[in-house]
Coordinates of all heavy atoms in Angstrom, one line a residue:
Chain D
R32 N -31.1 2.5 3.5 CA -30.1 2.0 2.5 C -30.7 0.7 1.7 O -31.1 -0.2 2.5 CB -28.7 1.6 3.1 CG -27.7 1.9 2.2 CD -26.3 1.6 3.0 NE -25.5 2.6 3.2 CZ -25.0 3.1 4.3 NH1 -25.4 2.5 5.5 NH2 -24.3 4.1 4.6
V34 N -29.7 -2.1 -0.9 CA -28.8 -2.5 -1.8 C -29.2 -3.9 -2.3 O -30.0 -4.7 -1.7 CB -27.4 -2.7 -0.9 CG1 -26.7 -1.4 -0.8 CG2 -27.5 -3.6 0.3
P35 N -28.7 -4.3 -3.5 CA -29.3 -5.7 -4.1 C -28.6 -6.9 -3.1 O -27.7 -6.7 -2.5 CB -28.5 -5.7 -5.4 CG -27.3 -4.7 -5.3 CD -27.7 -3.7 -4.3
T37 N -26.7 -10.1 -2.3 CA -25.5 -10.6 -2.9 C -25.6 -12.1 -3.4 O -26.4 -12.8 -2.7 CB -24.3 -10.6 -1.9 OG1 -24.7 -11.2 -0.6 CG2 -23.8 -9.1 -1.6
E38 N -25.0 -12.3 -4.4 CA -25.0 -13.7 -4.9 C -23.8 -14.4 -4.2 O -22.7 -14.0 -4.1 CB -24.8 -13.8 -6.3 CG -26.0 -13.3 -7.1 CD -25.8 -13.2 -8.7 OE1 -24.8 -14.0 -9.0 OE2 -26.5 -12.5 -9.2
P39 N -24.2 -15.7 -3.6 CA -23.2 -16.3 -2.7 C -22.0 -16.9 -3.6 O -22.2 -17.1 -4.9 CB -24.0 -17.5 -2.2 CG -25.2 -17.7 -3.0 CD -25.6 -16.4 -3.6
F40 N -20.9 -16.9 -3.1 CA -19.7 -17.6 -3.8 C -19.7 -19.0 -3.7 O -19.8 -19.6 -2.6 CB -18.5 -17.0 -3.2 CG -17.2 -17.4 -3.8 CD1 -16.9 -17.0 -5.1 CD2 -16.2 -18.1 -3.2 CE1 -15.7 -17.4 -5.8 CE2 -15.2 -18.6 -3.7 CZ -14.9 -18.2 -5.2
V42 N -18.0 -21.9 -3.2 CA -16.6 -22.3 -2.9 C -16.1 -23.7 -3.5 O -15.1 -23.8 -4.2 CB -16.5 -22.5 -1.3 CG1 -15.1 -22.9 -1.0 CG2 -16.9 -21.1 -0.6
H45 N -15.2 -23.5 -7.2 CA -14.0 -22.7 -7.3 C -12.8 -23.6 -7.0 O -11.7 -23.4 -7.5 CB -14.0 -21.4 -6.7 CG -14.8 -20.4 -7.7 ND1 -16.2 -20.4 -7.5 CD2 -14.5 -19.5 -8.5 CE1 -16.6 -19.4 -8.4 NE2 -15.6 -19.0 -9.0
L46 N -13.0 -24.3 -5.8 CA -11.7 -24.9 -5.4 C -11.4 -26.1 -6.3 O -10.2 -26.4 -6.6 CB -12.0 -25.5 -3.9 CG -11.9 -24.6 -2.9 CD1 -12.4 -25.2 -1.6 CD2 -10.4 -24.0 -2.7
K63 N -1.6 -21.5 -11.9 CA -2.7 -21.7 -11.0 C -3.7 -22.4 -11.6 O -4.2 -22.0 -12.8 CB -3.2 -20.4 -10.4 CG -2.3 -19.9 -9.3 CD -3.1 -18.8 -8.4 CE -2.3 -18.4 -7.3 NZ -1.3 -17.4 -7.5
R66 N -6.9 -20.9 -14.3 CA -6.5 -19.5 -14.7 C -6.4 -19.4 -16.2 O -6.4 -18.3 -16.8 CB -5.4 -19.0 -13.9 CG -5.5 -18.9 -12.4 CD -6.8 -18.4 -12.0 NE -7.0 -16.9 -12.5 CZ -8.2 -16.4 -12.5 NH1 -9.3 -17.0 -12.3 NH2 -8.2 -15.2 -12.9
Q95 N 8.6 -23.3 -6.0 CA 7.6 -22.3 -6.1 C 7.2 -21.5 -4.8 O 6.9 -20.3 -4.7 CB 6.2 -22.9 -6.5 CG 6.2 -23.2 -7.9 CD 5.4 -24.4 -8.4 OE1 5.9 -25.4 -8.2 NE2 4.1 -24.1 -8.6
D96 N 7.4 -22.1 -3.7 CA 7.1 -21.5 -2.4 C 8.1 -20.6 -1.8 O 8.2 -20.1 -0.8 CB 6.6 -22.5 -1.3 CG 5.2 -23.1 -1.7 OD1 4.5 -22.4 -2.4 OD2 5.0 -24.2 -1.3
R109 N -0.7 -8.7 -15.8 CA -1.5 -9.7 -15.5 C -0.8 -11.2 -15.5 O -1.4 -12.2 -15.0 CB -2.6 -9.9 -16.7 CG -3.6 -8.7 -16.7 CD -4.2 -8.8 -15.4 NE -5.5 -7.8 -15.6 CZ -6.7 -8.3 -15.8 NH1 -7.0 -9.5 -16.0 NH2 -7.7 -7.5 -15.9
A111 N 1.4 -12.1 -13.4 CA 1.5 -12.5 -11.9 C 0.4 -13.5 -11.7 O 0.6 -14.5 -11.0 CB 1.5 -11.4 -11.0
G112 N -0.8 -13.1 -12.0 CA -2.0 -13.9 -11.7 C -2.1 -15.3 -12.2 O -2.9 -16.1 -11.8
N115 N 1.5 -20.0 -10.2 CA 1.1 -20.8 -9.0 C 2.1 -20.6 -7.9 O 2.9 -21.5 -7.5 CB 0.9 -22.3 -9.3 CG 0.2 -23.0 -8.3 OD1 -0.4 -22.4 -7.4 ND2 0.1 -24.4 -8.2
M116 N 2.0 -19.3 -7.3 CA 3.0 -19.1 -6.2 C 2.4 -17.8 -5.6 O 1.2 -17.4 -5.9 CB 4.3 -18.8 -6.7 CG 4.4 -17.8 -7.9 SD 6.0 -17.5 -8.4 CE 6.4 -19.1 -9.2
D117 N 3.0 -17.3 -4.6 CA 2.6 -16.0 -4.0 C 2.7 -14.9 -5.0 O 3.9 -14.6 -5.3 CB 3.3 -15.7 -2.6 CG 2.8 -16.8 -1.8 OD1 1.6 -17.0 -1.4 OD2 3.6 -17.5 -1.0
T118 N 1.6 -14.3 -5.5 CA 1.8 -13.2 -6.6 C 0.9 -12.0 -6.2 O 0.0 -12.1 -5.6 CB 1.3 -13.8 -7.9 OG1 0.1 -14.4 -7.7 CG2 2.2 -14.8 -8.5
Y119 N 1.5 -10.9 -6.6 CA 1.0 -9.5 -6.1 C 0.8 -8.6 -7.3 O 1.9 -8.3 -7.9 CB 1.8 -8.9 -5.0 CG 2.0 -9.9 -3.8 CD1 3.0 -10.7 -3.8 CD2 0.9 -9.9 -2.9 CE1 3.1 -11.6 -2.6 CE2 1.1 -10.7 -1.8 CZ 2.2 -11.7 -1.7 OH 2.2 -12.5 -0.7
H120 N -0.4 -8.3 -7.6 CA -0.8 -7.4 -8.8 C -1.0 -6.2 -8.2 O -2.1 -5.9 -7.6 CB -1.8 -8.1 -9.4 CG -2.5 -7.3 -10.7 ND1 -3.8 -7.2 -10.9 CD2 -1.7 -6.8 -11.6 CE1 -3.9 -6.5 -12.0 NE2 -2.7 -6.2 -12.5
T121 N -0.1 -5.2 -8.2 CA -0.4 -4.0 -7.3 C -0.9 -2.8 -8.2 O -1.5 -3.1 -9.0 CB 1.2 -3.6 -6.8 OG1 2.1 -3.2 -7.9 CG2 1.9 -4.8 -6.1
T122 N -0.5 -1.6 -7.8 CA -1.0 -0.4 -8.5 C 0.0 -0.1 -9.7 O 1.2 -0.6 -9.7 CB -1.1 0.8 -7.4 OG1 0.0 0.8 -6.5 CG2 -2.3 0.8 -6.7
R125 N 3.9 0.7 -9.2 CA 4.5 0.6 -7.9 C 4.8 -0.8 -7.5 O 5.2 -1.1 -6.3 CB 3.4 1.1 -6.9 CG 2.5 2.2 -7.2 CD 3.3 3.6 -7.5 NE 2.5 4.5 -8.0 CZ 3.0 5.5 -8.7 NH1 4.2 5.7 -9.0 NH2 2.2 6.6 -8.9
P128 N 8.6 -0.7 -5.5 CA 8.6 -0.4 -4.1 C 8.0 -1.4 -3.2 O 8.4 -1.8 -2.2 CB 7.9 0.9 -3.9 CG 7.3 1.3 -5.2 CD 8.0 0.5 -6.2
F129 N 6.8 -2.1 -3.7 CA 6.1 -3.2 -3.0 C 7.1 -4.3 -3.0 O 7.3 -4.9 -1.9 CB 4.9 -3.5 -3.8 CG 4.0 -4.5 -3.2 CD1 2.8 -4.3 -2.7 CD2 4.3 -6.0 -3.2 CE1 1.9 -5.1 -1.9 CE2 3.6 -6.9 -2.5 CZ 2.4 -6.5 -2.0
T131 N 10.4 -4.1 -2.9 CA 11.3 -3.8 -2.0 C 11.1 -4.2 -0.6 O 11.8 -4.7 0.1 CB 11.6 -2.2 -2.1 OG1 11.9 -1.9 -3.6 CG2 12.7 -1.8 -1.2
G132 N 9.9 -3.9 -0.2 CA 9.3 -4.1 1.1 C 9.5 -5.6 1.3 O 9.8 -6.2 2.4
L133 N 8.8 -6.4 0.4 CA 8.7 -7.9 0.6 C 10.1 -8.5 0.6 O 10.2 -9.4 1.5 CB 7.9 -8.4 -0.4 CG 7.6 -10.0 -0.6 CD1 7.0 -10.4 0.6 CD2 6.8 -10.5 -1.8
L135 N 12.9 -7.1 1.4 CA 13.8 -6.9 2.6 C 13.3 -7.7 3.8 O 14.1 -8.0 4.7 CB 13.7 -5.3 2.9 CG 14.5 -4.5 2.0 CD1 14.2 -3.0 2.2 CD2 15.9 -4.7 2.0
I136 N 12.0 -7.9 3.9 CA 11.6 -8.5 5.2 C 11.7 -10.1 5.0 O 11.7 -10.8 5.9 CB 10.0 -8.1 5.5 CG1 9.8 -8.1 7.0 CG2 9.0 -8.9 4.8 CD1 10.5 -6.9 7.7
R137 N 11.7 -10.5 3.7 CA 11.8 -12.1 3.5 C 12.9 -12.2 2.5 O 12.8 -12.7 1.4 CB 10.5 -12.5 2.9 CG 9.3 -12.4 3.7 CD 9.3 -13.1 5.1 NE 9.4 -14.4 4.9 CZ 8.3 -15.4 4.9 NH1 7.2 -14.8 5.1 NH2 8.5 -16.6 4.8
L140 N 13.3 -15.2 0.0 CA 12.4 -15.4 -1.1 C 13.1 -14.8 -2.4 O 13.7 -13.8 -2.3 CB 11.1 -14.6 -1.1 CG 10.1 -15.2 0.0 CD1 8.9 -14.4 0.1 CD2 9.8 -16.6 -0.1
N157 N 10.7 6.6 -11.4 CA 11.3 7.1 -10.3 C 11.7 5.9 -9.3 O 12.8 5.8 -8.7 CB 10.5 8.1 -9.5 CG 11.4 9.0 -8.5 OD1 12.5 9.2 -8.8 ND2 10.9 9.4 -7.4
H158 N 10.8 5.0 -9.2 CA 11.0 3.9 -8.4 C 12.1 2.9 -8.8 O 13.0 2.3 -8.1 CB 9.7 3.0 -8.0 CG 8.5 3.9 -7.7 ND1 8.5 4.7 -6.6 CD2 7.2 4.0 -8.2 CE1 7.5 5.4 -6.4 NE2 6.6 5.0 -7.3
H161 N 15.7 4.4 -8.3 CA 16.1 4.3 -6.9 C 16.2 3.0 -6.4 O 17.2 2.7 -5.5 CB 15.0 5.1 -6.0 CG 15.2 6.6 -6.2 ND1 16.1 7.4 -5.6 CD2 14.5 7.4 -7.0 CE1 16.1 8.6 -5.8 NE2 15.1 8.7 -6.8
R165 N 19.8 1.8 -4.9 CA 19.9 1.1 -3.5 C 20.4 -0.3 -3.7 O 20.9 -0.9 -2.7 CB 18.6 1.0 -2.9 CG 18.0 2.2 -2.4 CD 16.7 1.8 -1.7 NE 16.0 3.2 -1.5 CZ 15.0 3.5 -2.1 NH1 14.3 2.8 -2.9 NH2 14.5 4.8 -2.0
F311 N 21.6 -3.7 -0.7 CA 21.1 -2.9 0.5 C 21.3 -3.7 1.7 O 21.7 -3.3 2.8 CB 19.7 -2.5 0.2 CG 19.1 -1.7 1.3 CD1 19.0 -0.3 1.3 CD2 18.4 -2.3 2.4 CE1 18.3 0.5 2.3 CE2 17.8 -1.7 3.5 CZ 17.7 -0.3 3.4
Y315 N 23.2 -3.0 5.3 CA 22.5 -2.9 6.4 C 22.9 -3.8 7.6 O 23.2 -3.4 8.7 CB 21.1 -3.3 6.2 CG 20.0 -2.9 7.1 CD1 19.3 -1.6 6.8 CD2 19.7 -3.5 8.2 CE1 18.3 -1.2 7.6 CE2 18.6 -3.1 9.0 CZ 18.0 -1.9 8.8 OH 17.0 -1.4 9.7
M319 N 24.7 -2.0 10.9 CA 23.8 -2.0 12.0 C 24.3 -3.1 13.0 O 23.8 -3.2 14.0 CB 22.4 -2.3 11.6 CG 21.9 -1.5 10.3 SD 22.0 0.2 10.6 CE 21.6 0.7 8.9
D322 N 21.1 -8.7 13.2 CA 20.5 -9.5 12.2 C 19.4 -8.6 11.5 O 18.5 -8.2 12.3 CB 19.8 -10.7 12.9 CG 19.0 -11.6 11.9 OD1 19.0 -11.2 10.6 OD2 18.3 -12.4 12.5
P323 N 19.5 -8.3 10.3 CA 18.4 -7.4 9.5 C 17.2 -8.1 9.3 O 16.3 -7.4 8.9 CB 19.1 -7.0 8.4 CG 20.0 -8.2 7.9 CD 20.4 -8.8 9.3
K324 N 17.1 -9.4 9.6 CA 15.7 -10.1 9.4 C 14.7 -9.8 10.3 O 14.8 -8.8 11.0 CB 16.1 -11.5 9.1 CG 17.0 -11.6 8.0 CD 17.6 -13.1 8.1 CE 18.8 -13.2 7.0 NZ 19.9 -12.7 7.8
R325 N 13.7 -10.6 10.4 CA 12.6 -10.4 11.3 C 13.0 -10.3 12.7 O 13.9 -11.0 13.1 CB 11.5 -11.4 11.0 CG 10.7 -11.1 9.7 CD 10.4 -12.5 9.1 NE 11.5 -13.2 8.6 CZ 11.5 -14.5 8.5 NH1 10.5 -15.2 8.8 NH2 12.5 -15.1 8.0
A326 N 12.1 -9.7 13.4 CA 12.4 -9.7 14.9 C 12.1 -11.0 15.5 O 11.1 -11.7 15.0 CB 11.6 -8.5 15.6
Chain R
N52 N 8.2 -4.0 12.8 CA 9.6 -4.5 12.3 C 9.9 -4.1 11.0 O 10.9 -4.5 10.4 CB 9.8 -5.9 12.5 CG 8.8 -6.9 11.7 OD1 7.8 -6.4 11.3 ND2 9.2 -8.0 11.5
F53 N 9.1 -3.1 10.5 CA 9.4 -2.6 9.1 C 8.9 -1.1 9.1 O 7.6 -1.0 9.4 CB 8.8 -3.4 8.0 CG 9.3 -2.9 6.6 CD1 10.4 -3.4 6.1 CD2 8.5 -1.9 6.0 CE1 10.8 -3.0 4.8 CE2 8.9 -1.5 4.7 CZ 10.2 -2.1 4.1
P74 N 17.0 -0.9 13.3 CA 18.2 -1.8 13.1 C 18.7 -2.5 14.5 O 19.1 -3.6 14.4 CB 19.2 -0.9 12.6 CG 18.5 0.3 12.1 CD 17.4 0.6 13.0
K75 N 18.5 -1.8 15.6 CA 19.0 -2.4 16.8 C 17.8 -3.5 17.4 O 18.3 -4.1 18.4 CB 19.4 -1.4 17.8 CG 20.3 -0.4 17.4 CD 21.7 -1.1 17.1 CE 22.8 -0.2 16.6 NZ 24.0 -0.9 16.1
G77 N 16.3 -5.6 15.3 CA 16.1 -6.7 14.4 C 15.1 -6.4 13.3 O 14.6 -7.2 12.6
G78 N 14.8 -5.0 13.1 CA 13.8 -4.7 12.1 C 14.5 -4.0 10.9 O 15.7 -3.8 10.8
I79 N 13.7 -3.6 10.0 CA 14.2 -2.9 8.8 C 13.6 -1.5 8.7 O 12.4 -1.2 8.8 CB 13.7 -3.7 7.4 CG1 14.4 -5.1 7.5 CG2 14.1 -2.7 6.2 CD1 15.7 -5.2 6.8
Y80 N 14.6 -0.6 8.6 CA 14.1 0.9 8.2 C 14.6 1.2 6.9 O 15.8 1.0 6.4 CB 14.9 1.8 9.3 CG 14.7 3.3 8.7 CD1 13.7 4.1 9.1 CD2 15.6 3.8 7.9 CE1 13.4 5.3 8.7 CE2 15.5 5.2 7.5 CZ 14.4 6.0 7.8 OH 14.2 7.1 7.3
Q82 N 14.5 4.6 3.9 CA 13.9 5.7 3.4 C 13.6 5.7 2.0 O 14.6 5.3 1.2 CB 14.9 6.9 3.7 CG 14.5 8.2 3.1 CD 15.2 9.3 3.6 OE1 15.5 9.5 4.8 NE2 15.4 10.3 2.7
M83 N 12.6 5.8 1.5 CA 12.1 5.6 0.2 C 12.2 6.9 -0.7 O 12.5 8.0 -0.1 CB 10.6 5.1 -0.1 CG 10.5 3.7 0.6 SD 11.6 2.4 0.0 CE 10.8 2.1 -1.7
E84 N 11.9 6.9 -2.0 CA 12.2 8.1 -2.9 C 11.0 9.0 -2.9 O 11.0 10.2 -3.3 CB 12.4 7.5 -4.4 CG 11.3 6.6 -4.9 CD 11.6 5.1 -4.6 OE1 12.4 4.9 -3.7 OE2 10.9 4.2 -5.3
D85 N 9.7 8.4 -2.3 CA 8.6 9.4 -2.1 C 7.6 8.7 -1.3 O 7.9 7.5 -0.8 CB 8.0 9.9 -3.4 CG 7.7 8.7 -4.3 OD1 7.2 7.7 -3.9 OD2 7.6 8.9 -5.5
I87 N 4.6 7.8 -2.2 CA 4.0 6.7 -2.9 C 4.8 5.3 -2.7 O 4.1 4.3 -2.4 CB 4.0 7.0 -4.4 CG1 3.3 8.4 -4.7 CG2 3.4 5.9 -5.2 CD1 3.5 8.8 -6.1
A88 N 6.1 5.3 -2.7 CA 6.9 4.3 -2.6 C 6.8 3.7 -1.3 O 6.8 2.6 -1.0 CB 8.3 4.6 -3.1
A91 N 3.8 1.8 -0.7 CA 3.8 0.5 -1.4 C 4.8 -0.4 -0.6 O 4.4 -1.6 -0.5 CB 4.4 0.7 -2.8
A92 N 5.9 0.1 -0.2 CA 6.9 -0.7 0.5 C 6.3 -1.4 1.8 O 6.5 -2.5 2.1 CB 8.1 0.1 0.9
L94 N 3.2 -2.1 2.3 CA 2.2 -3.1 1.9 C 2.9 -4.4 1.6 O 2.5 -5.5 1.9 CB 1.3 -2.7 0.7 CG 0.4 -1.5 1.0 CD1 -0.3 -1.1 -0.2 CD2 -0.6 -1.7 2.1
G95 N 4.1 -4.1 0.8 CA 4.9 -5.4 0.5 C 5.5 -6.1 1.6 O 5.4 -7.3 1.8
A96 N 5.9 -5.3 2.6 CA 6.5 -5.9 3.9 C 5.5 -6.6 4.6 O 5.6 -7.7 5.2 CB 7.2 -4.8 4.7
W98 N 2.7 -8.1 3.5 CA 2.5 -9.5 2.9 C 3.7 -10.4 3.1 O 3.5 -11.6 3.0 CB 2.3 -9.2 1.5 CG 0.8 -8.8 1.2 CD1 0.3 -7.7 0.9 CD2 -0.3 -9.8 1.4 NE1 -1.1 -7.6 0.9 CE2 -1.6 -9.0 1.2 CE3 -0.5 -11.1 1.5 CZ2 -2.8 -9.4 1.1 CZ3 -1.8 -11.5 1.6 CH2 -2.9 -10.7 1.5
G99 N 4.9 -9.9 3.6 CA 6.0 -10.7 3.9 C 5.9 -11.1 5.4 O 6.7 -11.7 5.9
A101 N 5.4 -8.8 8.0 CA 5.8 -7.8 8.9 C 4.8 -7.0 9.5 O 3.7 -7.0 8.9 CB 6.8 -6.9 8.3
E117 N -3.2 6.6 -3.2 CA -3.2 5.6 -4.3 C -3.1 4.2 -3.6 O -3.9 3.2 -3.8 CB -2.2 5.8 -5.4 CG -2.1 4.7 -6.3 CD -0.8 5.0 -7.1 OE1 0.2 4.9 -6.6 OE2 -0.9 4.9 -8.4
N118 N -2.0 4.1 -2.9 CA -1.7 2.8 -2.3 C -2.4 2.4 -1.0 O -2.6 1.2 -0.5 CB -0.2 2.6 -2.1 CG 0.4 2.3 -3.4 OD1 -0.1 1.6 -4.3 ND2 1.6 2.9 -3.7
D230 N -5.1 -26.4 -0.1 CA -6.0 -26.7 -1.2 C -7.4 -26.4 -0.7 O -8.4 -26.6 -1.4 CB -5.8 -28.1 -1.6 CG -5.9 -29.2 -0.5 OD1 -5.8 -28.6 0.6 OD2 -6.1 -30.3 -0.8
V233 N -9.7 -20.5 1.3 CA -10.3 -19.5 0.4 C -9.8 -18.2 1.0 O -10.4 -17.7 1.9 CB -11.7 -19.6 0.4 CG1 -12.4 -18.7 -0.5 CG2 -12.2 -21.1 0.0
M236 N -12.3 -15.1 1.8 CA -13.7 -15.4 2.4 C -13.6 -14.9 3.8 O -12.9 -15.4 4.6 CB -13.8 -16.8 2.3 CG -15.1 -17.4 2.9 SD -16.4 -17.0 1.9 CE -16.6 -18.4 0.8
A248 N 3.5 -14.3 2.2 CA 4.4 -14.9 1.1 C 5.1 -16.0 1.7 O 5.6 -15.9 2.9 CB 5.2 -13.8 0.6
G249 N 5.4 -17.0 1.0 CA 6.4 -18.1 1.4 C 5.7 -19.1 2.4 O 6.5 -19.9 3.0
G251 N 3.4 -21.2 1.7 CA 2.8 -22.3 1.1 C 1.4 -22.2 0.5 O 0.9 -23.2 -0.1
R253 N 0.2 -20.0 -1.7 CA 0.2 -19.5 -3.1 C -1.0 -18.8 -3.5 O -1.9 -19.0 -4.2 CB 0.2 -20.7 -4.0 CG 1.5 -21.4 -3.8 CD 1.7 -22.8 -4.6 NE 2.8 -23.5 -4.3 CZ 3.1 -24.7 -4.9 NH1 2.4 -25.1 -5.8 NH2 4.2 -25.2 -4.4
V254 N -1.1 -17.6 -2.8 CA -2.2 -16.7 -2.8 C -1.9 -15.6 -4.0 O -0.8 -15.1 -4.1 CB -2.5 -15.9 -1.5 CG1 -3.6 -15.0 -1.6 CG2 -2.7 -17.1 -0.4
H255 N -2.9 -15.3 -4.8 CA -2.9 -14.2 -5.7 C -3.6 -13.0 -5.1 O -4.8 -13.1 -4.7 CB -3.4 -14.6 -7.1 CG -3.4 -13.4 -8.0 ND1 -2.1 -12.9 -8.3 CD2 -4.3 -12.6 -8.7 CE1 -2.3 -11.8 -9.2 NE2 -3.7 -11.8 -9.4
V256 N -2.9 -11.9 -5.0 CA -3.5 -10.7 -4.3 C -3.4 -9.6 -5.4 O -2.4 -9.3 -6.1 CB -2.4 -10.3 -3.2 CG1 -2.9 -8.9 -2.6 CG2 -2.4 -11.4 -2.2
T257 N -4.6 -9.0 -5.6 CA -4.8 -8.0 -6.6 C -5.5 -6.9 -6.1 O -6.5 -7.0 -5.4 CB -5.4 -8.6 -8.0 OG1 -5.6 -7.6 -8.9 CG2 -6.6 -9.3 -7.7
G258 N -5.3 -5.7 -6.7 CA -6.1 -4.5 -6.6 C -7.3 -4.4 -7.4 O -8.2 -3.6 -7.4
L259 N -7.4 -5.4 -8.3 CA -8.7 -5.5 -9.1 C -9.8 -6.2 -8.3 O -9.5 -6.8 -7.4 CB -8.3 -6.5 -10.3 CG -7.6 -6.0 -11.6 CD1 -7.3 -7.2 -12.4 CD2 -8.4 -5.0 -12.4
D262 N -12.6 -12.2 -6.7 CA -13.6 -13.1 -6.0 C -12.9 -13.7 -4.8 O -11.7 -13.3 -4.4 CB -14.1 -14.4 -6.9 CG -13.0 -15.2 -7.3 OD1 -11.8 -15.2 -6.8 OD2 -13.1 -15.9 -8.3
E263 N -13.6 -14.5 -4.0 CA -13.0 -15.0 -2.9 C -11.7 -15.8 -2.8 O -10.9 -15.8 -1.9 CB -14.1 -15.8 -1.9 CG -15.2 -15.1 -1.3 CD -16.2 -14.4 -2.3 OE1 -16.1 -14.4 -3.5 OE2 -17.2 -13.8 -1.7
M264 N -11.5 -16.3 -4.1 CA -10.2 -16.9 -4.3 C -9.1 -16.0 -4.6 O -7.9 -16.3 -4.6 CB -10.3 -17.9 -5.6 CG -11.3 -19.1 -5.4 SD -10.8 -20.2 -4.0 CE -9.3 -20.7 -4.6
Y266 N -9.0 -14.0 -7.3 CA -8.8 -13.9 -8.7 C -9.6 -12.8 -9.3 O -10.8 -12.6 -8.9 CB -9.2 -15.2 -9.5 CG -8.3 -16.4 -9.1 CD1 -8.8 -17.6 -8.9 CD2 -6.9 -16.3 -8.9 CE1 -8.0 -18.7 -8.6 CE2 -6.1 -17.3 -8.6 CZ -6.6 -18.6 -8.3 OH -5.9 -19.6 -7.9
P267 N -9.1 -12.1 -10.2 CA -9.9 -10.9 -10.8 C -11.1 -11.4 -11.4 O -11.2 -12.5 -12.1 CB -8.8 -10.4 -12.0 CG -7.5 -10.9 -11.6 CD -7.8 -12.2 -10.9
T272 N -21.6 -8.7 -9.7 CA -22.0 -9.5 -8.4 C -20.8 -9.7 -7.5 O -20.9 -9.6 -6.4 CB -22.5 -10.8 -8.9 OG1 -21.7 -11.4 -9.8 CG2 -23.9 -10.6 -9.6
E275 N -20.1 -6.4 -5.8 CA -21.1 -6.1 -4.7 C -20.7 -6.9 -3.5 O -20.7 -6.3 -2.3 CB -22.4 -6.6 -5.3 CG -23.5 -6.2 -4.3 CD -24.1 -4.8 -4.5 OE1 -24.0 -4.2 -5.4 OE2 -24.5 -4.4 -3.4
R276 N -20.3 -8.1 -3.6 CA -19.9 -8.9 -2.4 C -18.6 -8.4 -1.7 O -18.6 -8.2 -0.6 CB -19.6 -10.3 -2.9 CG -20.9 -11.3 -2.7 CD -20.4 -12.7 -2.6 NE -19.3 -13.3 -3.4 CZ -19.4 -13.6 -4.7 NH1 -20.5 -13.6 -5.3 NH2 -18.2 -14.0 -5.3
R279 N -19.0 -4.6 -0.5 CA -19.8 -4.4 0.8 C -19.2 -5.0 1.8 O -19.4 -4.5 3.0 CB -21.2 -5.3 0.4 CG -22.1 -4.4 -0.5 CD -23.3 -4.0 0.2 NE -24.3 -5.1 0.6 CZ -25.1 -5.8 -0.1 NH1 -25.2 -5.5 -1.3 NH2 -25.8 -6.8 0.4

Side-chain angles (χ1 to χ4, degrees):
Chain D
R32 221 183 237 113
V34 286
T37 49
E38 285 177 23
F40 181 68
V42 178
H45 282 83
L46 280 175
K63 282 206 169 86
R66 301 312 298 155
Q95 277 148 277
D96 292 330
R109 292 302 191 94
N115 196 13
M116 53 181 69
D117 293 306
T118 51
Y119 302 92
H120 180 217
T121 64
T122 37
R125 319 302 175 206
F129 186 102
T131 300
L133 179 60
L135 287 176
I136 211 76
R137 300 300 295 269
L140 294 180
N157 198 33
H158 307 309
H161 285 278
R165 288 183 192 112
F311 179 95
Y315 200 92
M319 317 305 169
D322 178 8
K324 294 166 198 85
R325 285 147 290 156
Chain R
N52 60 341
F53 187 91
K75 301 295 180 195
I79 298 276
Y80 167 88
Q82 179 170 315
M83 298 300 287
E84 53 276 15
D85 56 29
I87 300 171
L94 296 179
W98 279 100
E117 174 195 51
N118 285 322
D230 60 340
V233 183
M236 178 75 93
R253 301 181 184 176
V254 178
H255 181 57
V256 176
T257 176
L259 283 167
D262 63 19
E263 282 72 352
M264 293 303 292
Y266 299 139
T272 52
E275 190 72 34
R276 266 202 325 275
R279 283 251 297 276

